[in-house]
Amino acid sequence: MKQISKWMFLCIFALCGCVRQAQSNPVTSTIFAMDTTIDFTIYGTEKDLSAAESCLMELESKLSVTDTGSEIYAVNKNGTGMLSQQISALLEQALTLCQQTEGALDLSIYPVVRAWGFTTGQYAVPDTKTLAGLLSHVDYHQILFDRAAGRVTLAEGMQIDLGSVAKGYAGDQVVSLLRQNGVTSALLNLGGNVQALGSKPDGTAWRIAIQNPLGDGYLGAVEINNQAVITSGGYERFFEQNGQIYWHIINPTDGMPANNGLVSVTIIGDNGLRCDGLSTALFVMGLEKAIDFWQEYHDFEAVFVSMDGGTAITEGLEDRFTYLLENTDTNPVTVIRQHRK
Ligand code: AMP
Ligand code: MG
């Protein structure tokens, strides 16, 4: 009996060793999807990794604007269409963001983005008449969504794109799937949009670097557990013509690249989709309006970088943001505090 107990103890000990081994060595992969490079670091099994990859690929096949078999392609082509549960949930949350940001985020901006060539890489500055014509079809209020039926109907001449929120939502979906499968620690990097499940296996926070939007290297790093860190920056996709830089984040009021003084906006929060939509929308708004928005909702943290290099962080980041750029200024980072009412 004593012998059996000893063997059992040894087996359990060995098993614990295997589990520890699996946890300290993540399974990793890199795939290209959603028009970007996606890195998975999962403290789990190969099965968890392939489930995560399939989840992402399936999502892309449903919401791609160019894939002729996608739900969104059909809606854009026919002006109406049925959506799966997953895309319905995505559209519902995205439309809420359009409303909350008063149209700084507008899913119907797609034809304008296409006219600039950001969807194909064939860049061109559209003329004023073309822009005016396209803008007359941009208005998220005209996206009629019957959530119960799962049917979306667009106004005449309108087309939509969920690109501004898709990667954030994908992160949410993959994290939720991994969690359901028992994974407690993972990091997804969707082209610079980072989503963390839990903390690092040793219990410490993930440290996520934020790119310097005005040059090489990193602006700073932020510590997170179980959150998303999502950046929209003018440097991500742009072209230059006659000495002028044009980037992919468009102001829906005039159809021009948003030019309200910010060069990058990073949003840190619990919901990837919200972070993704807000990074785009707050970039469009500019610093002043973005701060008002944060004061009102206060359910996320943010790092704002202005064209002059000024960096501002919301107060919840004070203890978890490290500024990494060398700077002669003794206090290069401004902290935005909540108005106490
Ligand atoms: P992100 O990289 O998340 O900021 O999203 C930018 C992408 O969203 C662009 O490449 C466009 O396809 C699209 N987009 C640009 N401006 C807007 C806007 N104001 N509202 C919604 N989508 C936009
Ligand atoms: Mg976004």
Side-chain angles (χ1 to χ4, degrees):
M1 185 63 191
K2 217 172 167 185
Q3 203 59 19
I4 294 175
S5 304
K6 192 176 156 194
W7 273 109
M8 272 180 70
F9 175 78
L10 279 174
C11 286
I12 291 169
F13 188 77
L15 257 173
C16 291
C18 288
V19 171
R20 262 206 305 274
Q21 185 74 7
Q23 285 187 340
S24 58
N25 295 311
V27 284
T28 60
S29 74
T30 299
I31 62 171
F32 190 83
M34 295 188 168
D35 211 14
T36 195
T37 305
I38 301 179
D39 296 310
F40 297 87
T41 305
I42 298 172
Y43 290 85
T45 62
E46 289 291 340
K47 206 170 149 203
D48 295 321
L49 182 64
S50 65
E53 288 176 357
S54 308
C55 171
L56 210 125
M57 304 303 278
E58 194 187 324
L59 195 56
E60 183 182 27
S61 72
K62 289 179 184 168
L63 54 76
S64 162
V65 274
T66 48
D67 181 342
T68 54
S70 90
E71 294 174 27
I72 299 299
Y73 186 91
V75 169
N76 283 340
K77 183 163 176 262
N78 306 322
T80 186
M82 297 298 290
L83 301 181
S84 59
Q85 268 300 329
Q86 207 180 22
I87 305 303
S88 286
L90 165 54
L91 183 63
E92 186 179 37
Q93 293 178 60
L95 284 174
T96 301
L97 281 177
C98 294
Q99 283 153 13
Q100 289 181 349
T101 63
E102 296 173 351
L105 185 79
D106 194 320
L107 307 178
S108 63
I109 195 75
Y110 175 55
V112 177
V113 174
R114 200 175 44 197
W116 282 95
F118 289 113
T119 53
T120 55
Q122 287 164 355
Y123 302 122
V125 179
D127 62 59
T128 327
K129 207 172 149 207
T130 307
L131 268 188
L134 294 172
L135 279 172
S136 67
H137 300 294
V138 175
D139 179 7
Y140 69 93
H141 295 100
Q142 307 288 323
I143 303 171
L144 303 178
F145 181 41
D146 181 342
R147 177 70 164 102
R151 175 170 288 283
V152 62
T153 305
L154 308 179
E156 183 74 32
M158 177 181 275
Q159 293 197 325
I160 58 171
D161 176 21
L162 303 175
S164 56
V165 287
K167 283 182 270 173
Y169 183 68
D172 288 336
Q173 294 284 294
V174 171
V175 158
S176 138
L177 175 80
L178 290 172
R179 192 176 278 126
Q180 271 171 38
N181 291 349
V183 176
T184 54
S185 182
L187 196 71
L188 316 177
N189 185 345
L190 301 102
N193 287 6
V194 175
Q195 196 115 1
L197 165 57
S199 53
K200 285 203 274 187
D202 66 4
T204 59
W206 301 99
R207 199 156 184 263
I208 311 300
I210 298 170
Q211 197 153 331
N212 173 15
L214 291 167
D216 295 333
Y218 295 113
L219 170 87
V222 61
E223 290 185 5
I224 55 154
N225 294 304
N226 248 331
Q227 285 193 309
V229 179
I230 296 189
T231 301
S232 287
Y235 61 88
E236 290 174 313
R237 195 165 292 190
F238 65 91
F239 68 96
E240 197 175 336
Q241 193 171 301
N242 300 329
Q244 177 78 33
I245 288 187
Y246 301 97
W247 52 57
H248 69 305
I249 301 171
I250 304 293
N251 189 336
T253 55
D254 61 6
M256 297 296 289
N259 192 16
N260 282 323
L262 291 173
V263 281
S264 91
V265 175
T266 301
I267 306 288
I268 297 108
D270 298 342
N271 180 290
L273 180 146
R274 185 164 176 79
C275 293
D276 199 356
L278 290 184
S279 67
T280 311
L282 271 53
F283 187 105
V284 171
M285 287 179 195
L287 188 58
E288 212 171 307
K289 281 191 184 156
I291 292 175
D292 289 347
F293 188 93
W294 177 78
Q295 294 285 356
E296 187 178 349
Y297 288 94
H298 205 251
D299 60 344
F300 61 93
E301 303 298 337
V303 179
F304 302 104
V305 184
S306 300
M307 279 172 183
D308 62 5
T311 301
I313 61 170
T314 51
E315 62 181 346
L317 292 180
E318 225 174 346
D319 297 331
R320 29 189 203 124
F321 176 80
T322 315
Y323 188 71
L324 294 174
L325 289 181
E326 284 189 12
N327 201 310
T328 46
D329 194 332
T330 48
N331 188 13
V333 180
T334 311
V335 179
I336 305 159
R337 303 203 179 276
Q338 198 191 8
H339 298 145
R340 314 268 172 212
K341 290 177 188 149

